[in-house]
Amino acid sequence: MTQDIRQPEPDAISDRLDQLADRERAMPDSAFESRVFESVRARVLEPLGRPVAIRPAWWRSSWAMAAAASIAIVLTAGMFMWAGAPTQTSDPGPSIAAGDDVSTEFEEFIETVAWLEDSLPDYSWTTNSTDGPSLDSIDDLFDDVEQTLSDEEESI
Amino acid sequence: MGDEQADRDERQDGALTDLLVRAADGVDAAWVELVERYSRRLFALARSRLGSVDLAEEIVQSVLVTVATTLTAGKYTESGRFESWLFRVAMNRIRDEIRKKRRSTVETNEHLPDLAAHHDEPTDEAGLSALRAALDELSDADRQVIELRHHGQLSFKEIAAVTCEPMGTLLARHHRALRKLRSIIETNLSDQEIERTT
């Protein structure tokens, strides 16, 4: 009872009613609450399939979490190893050698481009009207550059 | 004193709210606690009205299943008035049972034992038996307030919420019902006295 408001009343009858009610409440056997709870669980809680206190969700178990984390780490490491591995795993030597050749040629290609860039005359000060004839040699130079780049590309 | 009572009520309300949240999540422990808190009070109410232990237990299960279904479905909208709602569900269920029995009586045209008068276990105390018999003679409205108050252990404020009646009306009715009970018991005792002497 959260609020006990009693007015003057025939106390004897009221006390006897309380006594009678106590008897009624004490009437069920000790398993009464268990039966009621089982009824609620069987008819409502179990069909819902909600997490229950007796069987906590697996992620609330530290052991299960540790196992899951270990599996995740192993799987992640495996994936990295698999992704980083060469395609021809049976004979890695030639692949590595081939990889080295490519890198060497690529470096040479970069150096060639840098050389060509340095070899270009500075035409930034010229105008088409005054120095047009002197620009004829640029065509030849571009042809050479194109040819060189093409050769390098093919070699790579 | 009033402040202390208010603080206590507030703490109880907070604890009950937490309990109901856990119950709505389907936590077994919360339902164990709810069942322990209320099942015997509901049982006493149903047993007093219907007279049968088995039927009373069936009603308690039915009421708590209804409550569990509503709570877990997120349809509970009586925040802060759980006990009133719970006992209203119980009273409706008890009334349904009484109607069912009455219909059954009419259809079969047989005299069933008076629901209220039928009791599974005879008490060895004549006073309590006389009181039970007197309860049967009260009107439904008088009996309801008596049983919610004493068997259900509700406050008058909570009874007002269950029955949707003003608290003053209920206080007066309760007082009147107690007087009636005393009068009925005295009349019955004097009748028995007369029968014995004749």
Side-chain angles (χ1 to χ4, degrees):
Chain A
M1 272 183 266
T2 57
Q3 188 180 13
D4 190 20
I5 300 170
R6 284 180 186 272
Q7 60 181 39
E9 57 189 27
D11 288 335
I13 298 291
S14 186
D15 289 347
R16 268 203 250 170
L17 277 168
D18 285 336
Q19 201 182 340
L20 179 64
D22 285 344
R23 287 203 167 205
E24 304 278 24
R25 282 189 292 274
M27 196 171 279
D29 58 26
S30 57
F32 170 68
E33 281 86 354
S34 301
R35 287 195 301 275
V36 174
F37 170 69
E38 280 307 319
S39 171
V40 171
R41 187 158 73 169
R43 288 156 73 179
V44 182
L45 304 181
E46 277 188 355
L48 282 175
R50 299 277 180 91
V52 295
I54 291 171
R55 289 181 297 165
W58 66 269
W59 59 83
R60 289 182 184 168
S61 159
S62 55
W63 287 104
M65 278 301 289
S70 303
I71 291 168
I73 289 167
V74 169
L75 285 175
T76 307
M79 282 181 68
F80 274 116
M81 288 174 71
W82 177 77
T87 51
Q88 293 175 337
T89 53
S90 58
D91 187 10
S95 300
I96 293 166
D100 287 343
D101 290 345
V102 169
S103 62
T104 305
E105 287 192 25
F106 183 73
E107 281 170 13
E108 286 173 358
F109 173 72
I110 296 296
E111 283 171 8
T112 304
V113 171
W115 171 78
L116 286 169
E117 199 174 47
D118 292 341
S119 302
L120 282 172
D122 184 8
Y123 290 105
S124 59
W125 53 272
T126 62
T127 62
N128 287 342
S129 59
T130 56
D131 300 304
S134 66
L135 295 175
D136 289 343
S137 60
I138 292 176
D139 289 338
D140 297 333
L141 184 59
F142 280 152
D143 287 343
D144 291 344
V145 169
E146 187 180 358
Q147 185 60 45
T148 306
L149 287 173
S150 176
D151 291 346
E152 289 293 336
E153 190 177 347
E154 279 175 15
S155 70
I156 290 170
Chain B
M1 277 304 277
D3 288 346
E4 284 176 16
Q5 179 67 41
D7 287 347
R8 198 161 47 240
D9 287 351
E10 203 169 309
R11 276 198 301 275
Q12 284 175 352
D13 288 348
L16 181 59
T17 302
D18 291 344
L19 182 62
L20 293 177
V21 168
R22 284 164 55 226
D25 283 341
V27 176
D28 274 13
W31 281 102
V32 168
E33 197 175 334
L34 278 177
V35 167
E36 280 176 1
R37 269 195 198 195
Y38 296 111
S39 61
R40 283 181 187 262
R41 288 165 63 184
L42 293 168
F43 175 88
L45 187 68
R47 164 73 170 78
S48 177
R49 180 55 68 96
L50 299 169
S52 163
V53 170
D54 292 340
L55 196 52
E57 183 167 334
E58 191 184 303
I59 282 177
V60 172
Q61 290 185 7
S62 163
V63 167
L64 285 168
V65 163
T66 301
V67 167
T69 306
T70 308
L71 276 177
T72 54
K75 292 178 181 172
Y76 172 64
T77 55
E78 305 277 331
S79 183
R81 292 171 294 177
F82 176 73
E83 288 196 9
S84 307
W85 173 64
L86 172 68
F87 279 86
R88 196 159 56 241
V89 172
M91 286 307 296
N92 289 337
R93 182 73 184 78
I94 289 166
R95 275 193 213 104
D96 288 346
E97 200 59 40
I98 290 169
R99 272 191 225 110
K100 203 193 295 179
K101 291 282 183 186
R102 279 181 186 156
R103 272 203 303 275
S104 169
T105 308
V106 172
E107 283 165 10
T108 57
N109 200 25
E110 288 174 3
H111 174 71
L112 288 179
D114 184 346
L115 284 171
H118 174 72
H119 298 289
D120 294 343
E121 291 179 12
T123 174
D124 53 356
E125 290 184 32
L128 294 184
S129 292
L131 187 55
R132 275 192 181 122
L135 272 173
D136 297 343
E137 295 185 35
L138 289 180
S139 68
D140 277 354
D142 287 351
R143 188 170 184 171
Q144 179 175 260
V145 72
I146 289 284
E147 286 174 336
L148 284 172
R149 174 71 177 155
H150 296 273
H151 295 73
Q153 296 182 302
L154 296 183
S155 66
F156 282 106
K157 189 178 168 187
E158 288 166 333
I159 297 171
V162 172
T163 60
C164 302
E165 288 184 276
M167 205 159 76
T169 306
L170 294 168
L171 283 163
R173 187 180 297 158
H174 181 255
H175 187 68
R176 204 169 48 241
L178 290 176
R179 283 182 176 281
K180 280 184 193 171
L181 281 173
R182 188 169 58 182
S183 169
I184 292 165
I185 289 168
E186 282 172 1
T187 307
N188 289 347
L189 283 174
S190 61
D191 287 349
Q192 284 170 9
E193 197 67 32
I194 291 165
E195 278 176 20
R196 263 204 301 273
T197 52
T198 55

